[in-house]
Amino acid sequence: MANHDLILGQSHNLALRQNQPLVLGHDHNLGLTQNHDLELGQTHERHLGLGQDHDLGLGHSHDHELDLGQRHDQEEDVGHSYGHDNELANDRKPDHGDNELALSEHNELTVSENQDLDDSLALAVDDSQEMGIDPARDLQHSQIVVSLPPVLQVRNSNPTYELAVGQEFPDVKSCRRALRDAAIALHFEMQTIKSDKTRFTAKCASEGCPWRIHAAKLPGVPTFTIRTIHETHTCGGIAHLGHQQASVQWVANTVEQRLRENPNYKPKEILEEIHRVHGITLSYKQAWRGKERIMAAMRGSFEEGYRLLPQYCEQIKRTNPGSIASVYGNPTDNCFQRLFISFQASIYGFLNACRPLLGLDRTYLKSKYLGTLLLATGFDGDGALFPLAFGVVDEENDENWMWFLSELHNLLEINTENMPRLTILSDRQKGVVDGVEANFPTAFHGFCMRHLSESFRKEFNNTMLVNLLWEAAHALTVIEFEAKILEIEEISQDAAYWIRRIPPRLWATAYFEGTRFGHLTANIVESLNSWILEASGLPIIQMMECIRRQLMTWFNERRETSMQWTSILVPSAERRVAEALEYARTYQVLRANEAEFEVISREGTNIVDIRNRCCLCRGWQLYGLPCAHAVAALLSCRQNVHRFTESCFTVATYRKAYSQTIHPIPDKSLWKELSEGDPNANKAVQVVIHPPKSLKPPGRPRKKRVRAEDRGREKRVVHCSRCNQTGHFRTTCAAPI
């Protein structure tokens, strides 16, 4: 068989009319040239008519369908009107034969194998004639080549959105909404002529289209009914990607259910879903505004969050007795300045069961009015973070850090007779240093090594130097520390000088006077990164509720987990003691008296005093657990190793840390009812806090925060080894050779 092309000229239409099946097979291409119409009706079934006097036999009692490679559950209108003068059509039903046309996965129009068309039929169309049939050819391998012009949307019918005279709606809003949805679904734009409380009249926005609809209110009830619908559409649909009726409110209504199920649904995903389902392309801003409208309805507005803060604080104190919750506004205009919250369960657990170690950190809020979240976090016996207090301030400055640390001191002083001597870790910016010295004068205040190492990395950008810095920080003795500094000096004298400028008593374990239990970093924000950054973009009450729910869940999960432990020490401490036992078996122990021992190992000799719980290697003092030398000494005198660990590492103490409960807070709609008769609650209702004056600046927000020690620092001058100029490297040098 020869290959024959069916070519539709410039002015010919390929019309596939209703109830005419078209089945396209395997090996034949379907190309549509410019200005030709391919019209596919609602039922997606078309006959292929090939001229007035010729029938195309297509098998016995087979329908011929248009299969586009993918099956869709919902019916979509695929109508394209291209072309002007001529039509490829046949009103007669095709004969029954053994030939089928099918559209393959590659959208090629072909005739199935072993299914020949009548030898007397062939197709040829020129620019001015109807389609003819050449009897000398068949269409076994014929190609139909017709390209598609850029029509974007075509009006079609959809039973779900069909409008009829007498159709009723509960009210005028429902009527407008139904007409809007119908216009979007049927791909035509609607222009409102009249719209008030008793009537609604609209017409098709396409010029010359006679379609018009009128709805009116029934007497005595709010119900609206369609009175008249004039004519049908002649416009053929809209010819652009957007839609006049696709407003922000329509976007909000469309994605409301999805957002309630997944609040993290992104505007980009909203755009993709609307385009896929409705065939409409919207701007990113429309999708974002639609999402914000629904989120505001779900979580409340940012302004409402500040207004309800006094009542929220009263609810915290009512549902969690002993908790501290206070909000402060600017005395002049009552704009928000500060919020401090600490739950009673956290206060009790920290003072009675946690290590006397606090980490201070902050993260910048990403909400409409910005601000900064300040955090004070302890560490439980198993080494996990134990959040103690939270503060929200309008901006981070020395004054606000002083206030936060003052509130922190007050809550500890109120809840304990003997203030513990704390070890505090932070980035040691000026406001924090001054606040610690003023409120915790006896505390040991050290650098958080994460901040220090990041600054060092930015300055020298050498992984080997950074690793040596961490090894120097972990060194237990002065000799080990100095050896690491000498290694750094051999690589870079500038790096060694940079390190020596910072007093080692503030960061190096060998010199640090406090007890950090092996914690060199506070690492709070990074550890809480999975959920606290998400909360930082919410309205202030929603953010604090997100934090409270996370704490409530943590307390419950850790309490239940600890009930399953059967050991004396928490798992991390048990592992450390087990490792020490393995090493201790190889040591030689000599006893000096009932408390003093000499332990000999391959590394050297160490002196252990079990009465004062100290070892010359300083491991016992620094970590609170017996080191390998101490374990060897204790085993030699048949002592129980677990009795010589700090109490915070025991399972009993760990359970005490999480013994209290953080209680849920009822929905804001119930606050007034639950607080009736409470004088403090009545006062809180009268206090109105306005949003702070700081607003989110335009542009993409900074992903990484600027370290305090980097602020005001002069940038290191880089030097090019190729042209001997400053300001660039050799790899980016553009100077001529």
Side-chain angles (χ1 to χ4, degrees), residues 308-371:
L308 294 177
L309 270 179
Q311 299 175 54
Y312 178 68
C313 291
E314 289 302 319
Q315 291 299 318
I316 290 177
K317 290 185 282 189
R318 186 186 66 82
T319 56
N320 293 268
S323 300
I324 297 175
S326 52
V327 59
Y328 304 91
N330 191 311
T332 57
D333 53 13
N334 236 26
C335 287
F336 172 82
Q337 274 192 320
R338 298 162 180 159
L339 171 70
F340 185 88
I341 292 178
S342 181
F343 292 97
Q344 189 273 337
S346 296
I347 299 172
Y348 176 86
F350 178 78
L351 290 174
N352 292 280
C354 286
R355 313 172 190 187
L357 176 65
L358 266 182
L360 302 177
D361 208 345
R362 85 286 194 195
T363 185
Y364 299 115
L365 303 183
K366 299 182 293 184
S367 62
K368 181 177 179 180
Y369 293 98
L370 301 178

Side-chain angles (χ1 to χ4, degrees), residues 568-589:
I568 297 175
L569 304 180
V570 296
S572 60
E574 283 287 352
R575 288 192 297 269
R576 196 174 185 90
V577 170
E579 291 174 3
L581 281 168
E582 289 296 321
Y583 287 108
R585 299 184 196 283
T586 63
Y587 296 166
Q588 180 184 356
V589 180

Side-chain angles (χ1 to χ4, degrees), residues 445-485:
H445 189 190
F447 258 120
C448 169
M449 272 301 296
R450 176 177 54 83
H451 295 95
L452 192 64
S453 65
E454 283 298 317
S455 299
F456 185 74
R457 185 190 300 276
K458 287 181 180 179
E459 189 73 24
F460 298 100
N461 194 26
N462 187 315
T463 304
M464 184 180 294
L465 289 176
V466 173
N467 292 338
L468 287 172
L469 175 67
W470 277 94
E471 291 175 10
H474 280 286
L476 299 181
T477 64
V478 174
I479 296 175
E480 294 175 1
F481 173 81
E482 292 298 335
K484 294 300 178 183
I485 298 299

Side-chain angles (χ1 to χ4, degrees), residues 489-592:
E489 192 170 11
E490 290 176 0
I491 299 173
S492 171
Q493 292 186 354
D494 291 341
Y497 174 74
W498 189 94
I499 293 172
R500 291 187 186 279
R501 286 187 309 147
I502 304 172
R505 62 180 177 81
L506 299 179
W507 61 277
T509 302
Y511 288 93
F512 191 75
E513 297 176 356
T515 304
R516 294 190 289 190
F517 298 95
H519 288 278
L520 298 184
T521 65
N523 207 29
I524 299 172
V525 172
E526 280 70 13
S527 299
L528 307 181
N529 193 49
S530 59
W531 57 273
I532 206 166
L533 289 184
E534 176 186 339
S536 66
L538 299 174
I540 188 165
I541 289 181
Q542 293 293 324
M543 178 185 70
M544 297 311 303
E545 276 295 274
C546 182
I547 292 173
R548 182 197 58 76
R549 292 188 185 106
Q550 184 65 55
L551 293 184
M552 181 177 69
T553 303
W554 274 356
F555 269 61
N556 182 64
E557 289 177 349
R558 294 174 182 177
R559 185 188 310 117
E560 292 180 349
T561 300
S562 66
M563 292 302 174
Q564 301 174 2
W565 294 342
T566 56
S567 58
I568 297 175
L569 304 180
V570 296
S572 60
E574 283 287 352
R575 288 192 297 269
R576 196 174 185 90
V577 170
E579 291 174 3
L581 281 168
E582 289 296 321
Y583 287 108
R585 299 184 196 283
T586 63
Y587 296 166
Q588 180 184 356
V589 180
L590 302 176
R591 187 168 187 172

Side-chain angles (χ1 to χ4, degrees), residues 220-441:
V221 291
T223 305
F224 262 65
T225 183
I226 296 178
R227 294 289 177 85
T228 58
I229 300 178
H230 295 284
E231 304 292 342
T232 57
H233 288 276
T234 61
C235 56
I238 55 178
H240 56 83
L241 289 172
H243 200 289
Q244 183 177 325
Q245 270 68 51
S247 62
V248 171
Q249 186 58 47
W250 177 80
V251 173
N253 294 339
T254 301
V255 300
E256 179 177 2
Q257 186 59 36
R258 181 65 65 89
L259 281 173
R260 290 188 182 278
E261 296 171 357
N262 178 22
N264 296 324
Y265 200 46
K266 297 179 181 179
K268 183 179 178 182
E269 296 171 327
I270 293 174
L271 290 176
E272 292 172 352
E273 179 178 343
I274 288 177
H275 181 73
R276 184 179 66 254
V277 175
H278 301 281
I280 297 175
T281 300
L282 302 176
S283 66
Y284 183 90
K285 187 175 182 180
Q286 276 182 288
W288 180 85
R289 290 175 63 194
K291 176 182 177 179
E292 285 300 304
R293 189 167 293 187
I294 292 299
M295 296 305 293
M298 290 169 53
R299 69 193 180 193
S301 65
F302 289 92
E303 293 75 15
E304 183 189 38
Y306 289 103
R307 181 174 58 82
L308 294 177
L309 270 179
Q311 299 175 54
Y312 178 68
C313 291
E314 289 302 319
Q315 291 299 318
I316 290 177
K317 290 185 282 189
R318 186 186 66 82
T319 56
N320 293 268
S323 300
I324 297 175
S326 52
V327 59
Y328 304 91
N330 191 311
T332 57
D333 53 13
N334 236 26
C335 287
F336 172 82
Q337 274 192 320
R338 298 162 180 159
L339 171 70
F340 185 88
I341 292 178
S342 181
F343 292 97
Q344 189 273 337
S346 296
I347 299 172
Y348 176 86
F350 178 78
L351 290 174
N352 292 280
C354 286
R355 313 172 190 187
L357 176 65
L358 266 182
L360 302 177
D361 208 345
R362 85 286 194 195
T363 185
Y364 299 115
L365 303 183
K366 299 182 293 184
S367 62
K368 181 177 179 180
Y369 293 98
L370 301 178
T372 304
L373 176 66
L374 309 180
L375 305 100
T377 304
F379 300 87
D380 64 23
D382 205 31
L385 291 176
F386 190 92
L388 173 61
F390 302 89
V392 181
V393 294
D394 53 354
E395 61 177 332
E396 184 190 15
N397 53 38
D398 296 350
E399 184 181 354
N400 280 333
W401 269 116
M402 182 68 75
W403 163 82
F404 180 70
L405 290 168
S406 173
E407 293 284 332
L408 192 61
H409 175 269
N410 292 339
L411 81 85
L412 294 176
E413 191 174 47
I414 291 172
N415 288 277
T416 183
E417 295 181 359
N418 299 316
M419 175 72 70
R421 190 174 187 183
L422 298 174
T423 296
I424 297 176
L425 301 177
S426 74
D427 62 0
R428 286 192 61 90
Q429 61 168 292
K430 185 179 182 301
V432 179
V433 172
D434 293 343
V436 170
E437 290 178 354
N439 294 284
F440 301 96

